[in-house]
Amino acid sequence: MERSLVENVFLFSLNIAGWFWGIISFLPWYYLVGRKHYRPKNKVQARPVGQFPGAPYRCVEHFDSLVTTLYDGANTLDQLFKRSVNLYPYRKCLGTREVLREEDEVQANGRVFKKLVCGEYNWLTYAEVDARARAFGRGLAALGQQVKENILLFSETKAEWIISAQGCFAQNFPVVTVYATLGEEALVHAINETDVRFIITDASLLSKLSTMIDRLPKLEHIVYLGNVVKKSTLLGFSRRVKIHSIREVEEIGESQGKEPMVQRGPTSDDTAVIMYTSGSTGLPKGVIIPHGSLVAAMTGIVSRVHPKVSEKDVYVGYLPLAHVLELVAETGILAQGASIGYSSPLTLSDQSSKIKKGTKGDLSVLRPTIMGAVPAIMDRIRQNVMEKVKEGPRLLQLFFTFAYSYKMKQLRMGYDTPLLNKFIFSKMRNLLGGRVRQIISGGAPLSEDTQFFMNVCLCCPVGQGYGLTETCGGGTVCHAWDRAIGRVGPPICSSEIKLVSWEEGNYTVRDKPYPRGEIVIGGPNVTKGYFKNPKKTAQEFEVDRNGQRWFHTGDIGEFHPDGCLKIIDRKKDLVKLSAGEYVSLGKVEATLVQSQYVENLCVYAESCYNYVVCLAVPRPKQLKALAVSLGIMTDDWAEQCRSKTITDAVLKDLQALGKALKLEKFELPQRLTLVTEQWTPETDLVTNSLKLKRQNITNYYRAALDAMYSH
């Protein structure tokens, strides 16, 4: 039947209206979902250099040869910094926040805490930093420090750390680095083993040094950074040790003229740093790091920052500079003309323990664009955000859960969610200042839940990297566009990585679907070995017939088809139970630490038993809430930790979490002890990068561990 003109016009109008409505409906969806990330499916990021099992993998960008430097002709830390000074003399370089005043804050329990009220950042330009560093180096030389003679740097992370180090690099003084929280025995060991006559330290650490001065027979000079609050501190040193401020040494150097005191600067093969690792067992080992190795590692790591670092970038320095991750990160920032603003874990955010309530933390003022982080800090950020969400109205919790789940699904598919980012996640992003565009995590494995949480809530890629002090922190780093979780990325351009079968652990390079084995890293970023420890060096380092150095990490990994590495185990953490099953303690800990009740934990196993036990540091607020829900009305922290009812409830939660996250039954702890001590570097139960000192924990809690196995 033929339609009339009126019917045709009506149907045409409906079609037009349908198309119009479709477009209108699509636009909000388009802006909600956003544009697709550049993440080609199954894109190869690294591939083996041969067809045989166990062949080394290299990144595809520099497959034919490994990279040694960021810029031709700049092969040392001194040359890299000189280049930046020549190119960017008036750019902001190092920033320190002004402390306006310190106030006492009385807590509900009557305790008094010191809180800081801080102002803006004061900046030194590249030219100003260079002038101070070179004057400082000349001053040390005038006082008697010799070329290629070790000098120890014992200080918190701050601008003067970098100024001092650059002054030493310019004069070719190898810098011995130790953590500011290192125990007395370990510190004495590092100072005496390296034969230093000069120590550069914080003014606040002078009293610590004064207590051990009689055990440091070769020490002649101490240079302190900052101001001495109590002049009596200087009286604790013997007359043979001369005390100088950094400014006094700079003035001595300025009086020597502007020419360097050395005939030439360091070469790439000269030692830049002897870095003492905090060590999870025994006394720390000094790793000998040449200039060339640090430059190579830095080159590989910063090349994974995308877009490239520019003068607009600001990095926040708060991790220990005695840790290779922070040293390489700051070196890379300075090599590219960006700026570094200094902070500390105690003043980082508005909620940090040293920041007065109602005033701004360092991140809010500095507003960095790039951050380095360790898993322990990101786990805390995640827990704090989730606490805030749980404290909010029920409707807000439901909406956050929906938004979180929705964005997580979109990220898995390669999409972003601009509207959710702006209206829901922007407040969380502001916790880091609101401008962070990339975070690189290292130092320890990052849990998959935490990695996804940071990607979702902070609206920037959070990728893992993998490396060790022995490889200058270099090994692998995830590409910014790769949002896959649980992996540490492909090899950097200055490293190649191979797997070596470990038959005892049942990991081989012939395994299917992925080759597995001990991770061995080779390349110009591999260091020379351990200071005055040839036996240990021979055990863990090797040189192939081409002269390339390799380091055996002790970590177990697997390569995925796209060339990305995943850490799946560690040889030292593997315990065989009486029934024959192998338990990876680190794997179990990384899973269970996600519990809402746990701040930190250590899993322990005896080979003569068929189950594992656990020590846990509970979270006070959550433990108190649990006690109330169980009808236990006590505010005494120790009583809560001793309560069998509370302990059983936390153990049940850990077991349920483990099952949900696919742990095997034999991996779930069957006994639990809640401990009252906080595990900090000061207690010597964790390292400065917050890794467990397993042997120290075992020794300290021996009675509790024995009790858990005795019933």
Side-chain angles (χ1 to χ4, degrees):
M1 182 177 178
E2 191 172 339
R3 296 189 184 107
S4 68
L5 179 63
V6 173
E7 288 174 321
N8 282 328
V9 170
F10 178 74
L11 290 172
F12 178 76
S13 300
L14 282 179
N15 283 330
I16 294 296
W19 277 100
F20 181 77
W21 179 250
I23 292 172
I24 293 298
S25 301
F26 173 76
L27 284 175
W29 173 256
Y30 174 79
Y31 284 108
L32 184 66
V33 172
R35 295 176 178 174
K36 192 171 184 179
H37 284 292
Y38 177 68
R39 192 180 69 197
K41 190 175 182 180
N42 299 325
K43 179 181 179 181
V44 174
Q45 302 180 47
R47 65 177 192 267
V49 298
Q51 300 301 315
F52 55 93
Y57 279 68
R58 288 185 181 180
C59 69
V60 295
E61 299 93 340
H62 296 276
F63 186 76
D64 294 330
S65 63
L66 299 179
V67 177
T68 59
T69 184
L70 198 60
Y71 306 108
D72 291 339
N75 300 305
T76 69
L77 299 178
D78 181 49
Q79 290 168 348
L80 277 173
F81 190 64
K82 275 183 183 176
R83 179 185 181 279
S84 293
V85 171
N86 291 334
L87 290 175
Y88 326 115
Y90 304 115
R91 280 189 192 174
K92 290 179 179 179
C93 182
L94 306 180
T96 303
R97 197 173 177 199
E98 182 182 10
V99 176
L100 299 177
R101 62 183 181 275
E102 188 176 66
E103 296 182 2
D104 290 337
E105 187 175 281
V106 182
Q107 308 300 303
N109 59 7
R111 296 181 65 185
V112 178
F113 290 109
K114 297 288 185 182
K115 301 287 183 174
L116 300 179
V117 178
C118 301
E120 297 298 318
Y121 272 85
N122 297 319
W123 292 93
L124 294 171
T125 65
Y126 273 83
E128 289 169 336
V129 171
D130 181 62
R132 287 190 59 183
R134 295 189 183 281
F136 182 73
R138 291 193 300 271
L140 290 175
L143 289 171
Q145 175 72 18
Q146 301 295 310
V147 172
K148 297 188 178 182
E149 180 186 23
N150 299 329
I151 183 169
L152 187 123
L153 188 40
F154 174 52
S155 168
E156 299 281 2
T157 296
K158 56 176 60 178
E160 288 82 3
W161 199 107
I162 287 292
I163 291 170
S164 302
Q166 288 293 349
C168 293
F169 296 149
Q171 300 292 331
N172 203 5
F173 304 152
V175 176
V176 179
T177 65
V178 291
Y179 289 103
T181 54
L182 204 62
E184 184 173 318
E185 289 302 318
L187 182 58
V188 170
H189 166 73
I191 293 172
N192 288 334
E193 186 174 64
T194 52
D195 300 314
V196 297
R197 295 187 298 120
F198 283 72
I199 290 178
I200 305 165
T201 189
D202 271 341
S204 60
L205 295 172
L206 284 171
S207 58
K208 184 174 182 177
L209 280 175
S210 68
T211 63
M212 59 186 79
I213 198 68
D214 293 336
R215 302 170 63 189
L216 308 174
K218 295 183 180 179
L219 183 61
E220 297 176 10
H221 296 268
I222 293 177
V223 181
Y224 63 86
L225 314 178
N227 299 315
V228 175
V229 178
K230 296 180 179 179
K231 296 297 181 182
S232 58
T233 304
L234 303 179
L235 302 177
F237 297 93
S238 64
R239 291 185 179 181
R240 68 176 171 84
V241 179
K242 298 178 176 61
I243 312 295
H244 320 268
S245 71
I246 183 175
R247 187 60 201 144
E248 289 169 351
V249 177
E250 288 175 25
E251 288 173 352
I252 293 171
E254 289 166 358
S255 69
Q256 304 296 313
K258 294 188 177 181
E259 293 300 317
M261 302 288 283
V262 293
Q263 295 294 323
R264 60 167 180 80
T267 66
S268 62
D269 198 49
D270 284 333
T271 300
V273 174
I274 300 175
M275 182 168 283
Y276 275 81
T277 61
S278 53
S280 55
T281 58
L283 289 172
K285 303 184 295 290
V287 179
I288 307 169
I289 305 179
H291 280 267
S293 295
L294 264 175
V295 171
M298 177 273 294
T299 300
I301 292 170
V302 301
S303 66
R304 292 282 159 83
V305 177
H306 184 79
K308 185 180 177 182
V309 176
S310 72
E311 63 184 86
K312 296 179 181 178
D313 279 308
V314 179
Y315 178 85
V316 56
Y318 68 100
L319 297 172
L321 270 163
H323 190 287
V324 72
L325 172 66
E326 185 70 9
L327 179 58
V328 167
E330 294 198 21
T331 300
I333 292 295
L334 296 178
Q336 296 175 95
S339 57
I340 302 171
Y342 287 97
S343 179
S344 79
L346 300 179
T347 61
L348 201 58
S349 70
D350 297 354
Q351 293 77 33
S352 292
S353 59
K354 288 284 286 184
I355 293 295
K356 181 178 173 58
K357 190 174 182 179
T359 65
K360 291 184 177 182
D362 298 336
L363 289 174
S364 297
V365 176
L366 185 64
R367 302 187 68 223
T369 59
I370 302 173
M371 281 187 71
V374 293
I377 287 177
M378 288 200 278
D379 286 336
R380 289 173 190 169
I381 292 174
R382 173 176 176 258
Q383 290 172 337
N384 289 337
V385 170
M386 293 309 298
E387 282 178 23
K388 293 292 184 184
V389 171
K390 289 179 180 178
E391 290 171 359
R394 178 63 177 165
L395 185 61
L396 178 63
Q397 294 179 38
L398 292 173
F399 189 72
F400 175 81
T401 302
F402 161 76
Y404 183 88
S405 300
Y406 177 81
K407 183 175 178 181
M408 187 164 64
K409 289 176 182 176
Q410 296 303 316
L411 287 178
R412 288 184 189 274
M413 295 188 293
Y415 291 88
D416 202 357
T417 57
L419 290 182
L420 289 182
N421 292 350
K422 183 174 182 179
F423 295 110
I424 303 300
F425 299 115
S426 60
K427 288 186 178 180
M428 298 176 193
R429 180 174 168 79
N430 287 338
L431 291 174
L432 302 182
R435 295 198 307 167
V436 174
R437 64 181 177 88
Q438 189 169 352
I439 298 174
I440 296 178
S441 173
L446 179 64
S447 73
E448 294 187 3
D449 277 1
T450 297
Q451 187 176 358
F452 241 133
F453 181 88
M454 303 295 278
N455 273 289
V456 169
C457 294
L458 300 184
C459 308
C460 70
V462 179
Q464 294 198 67
Y466 171 71
L468 307 95
T469 306
E470 291 85 349
T471 65
C472 297
T476 70
V477 176
C478 292
H479 285 284
W481 50 262
D482 187 355
R483 299 295 179 94
I485 61 172
R487 312 190 303 176
V488 293
I492 58 176
C493 60
S494 54
S495 290
E496 57 182 344
I497 297 177
K498 62 184 178 182
L499 302 179
V500 175
S501 296
W502 184 39
E503 304 289 349
E504 183 183 345
N506 200 28
Y507 297 112
T508 78
V509 295
R510 298 173 297 280
D511 288 346
K512 303 294 182 183
Y514 309 128
R516 305 185 301 174
E518 181 184 4
I519 301 165
V520 182
I521 301 176
N525 61 305
V526 177
T527 59
K528 289 185 175 181
Y530 300 113
F531 188 72
K532 291 185 178 179
N533 197 339
K535 183 178 178 180
K536 187 71 173 174
T537 299
Q539 288 173 352
E540 300 186 5
F541 291 82
E542 65 173 290
V543 181
D544 64 21
R545 60 186 179 184
N546 297 317
Q548 178 163 287
R549 297 186 67 79
W550 295 84
F551 175 70
H552 291 254
T553 67
D555 292 316
I556 305 298
E558 63 183 24
F559 270 115
H560 290 183
D562 61 355
C564 285
L565 183 68
K566 182 175 183 178
I567 312 299
I568 58 175
D569 214 333
R570 178 155 180 81
K571 290 169 73 173
K572 292 180 181 178
D573 286 349
L574 207 64
V575 179
K576 188 177 183 180
L577 300 180
S578 61
E581 304 100 335
Y582 281 97
V583 176
S584 173
L585 303 179
K587 169 193 166 187
V588 177
E589 288 159 354
T591 301
L592 299 183
V593 78
Q594 299 174 55
S595 168
Q596 62 178 316
Y597 300 116
V598 169
E599 180 76 29
N600 207 343
L601 56 79
C602 176
V603 176
Y604 179 79
E606 291 275 8
S607 294
C608 54
Y609 293 90
N610 64 355
Y611 62 92
V612 302
V613 299
C614 183
L615 299 163
V617 181
R619 307 187 78 211
K621 188 175 180 180
Q622 285 69 22
L623 200 69
K624 182 178 179 181
L626 177 62
V628 171
S629 70
L630 295 171
I632 301 173
M633 310 307 290
T634 177
D635 290 331
D636 188 278
W637 168 251
E639 281 188 32
Q640 292 173 359
C641 290
R642 287 194 298 266
S643 168
K644 186 177 186 305
T645 303
I646 294 176
T647 300
D648 289 345
V650 175
L651 177 60
K652 187 177 179 180
D653 178 77
L654 291 175
Q655 292 172 337
L657 177 65
K659 288 177 184 177
L661 296 178
K662 310 299 184 185
L663 288 183
E664 300 292 340
K665 185 176 180 180
F666 61 83
E667 294 176 312
L668 301 175
Q670 301 302 308
R671 305 277 191 277
L672 173 68
T673 296
L674 299 177
V675 303
T676 56
E677 299 82 8
Q678 291 297 311
W679 295 352
T680 65
E682 289 77 14
T683 63
D684 206 29
L685 297 176
V686 294
T687 69
N688 285 79
S689 55
L690 303 181
K691 295 177 185 175
L692 299 181
K693 286 192 172 183
R694 201 173 296 280
Q695 190 59 52
N696 289 18
I697 291 173
T698 301
N699 293 339
Y700 189 83
Y701 295 105
R702 172 48 60 193
L705 293 170
D706 290 344
M708 284 190 283
Y709 273 118
S710 65
H711 61 80

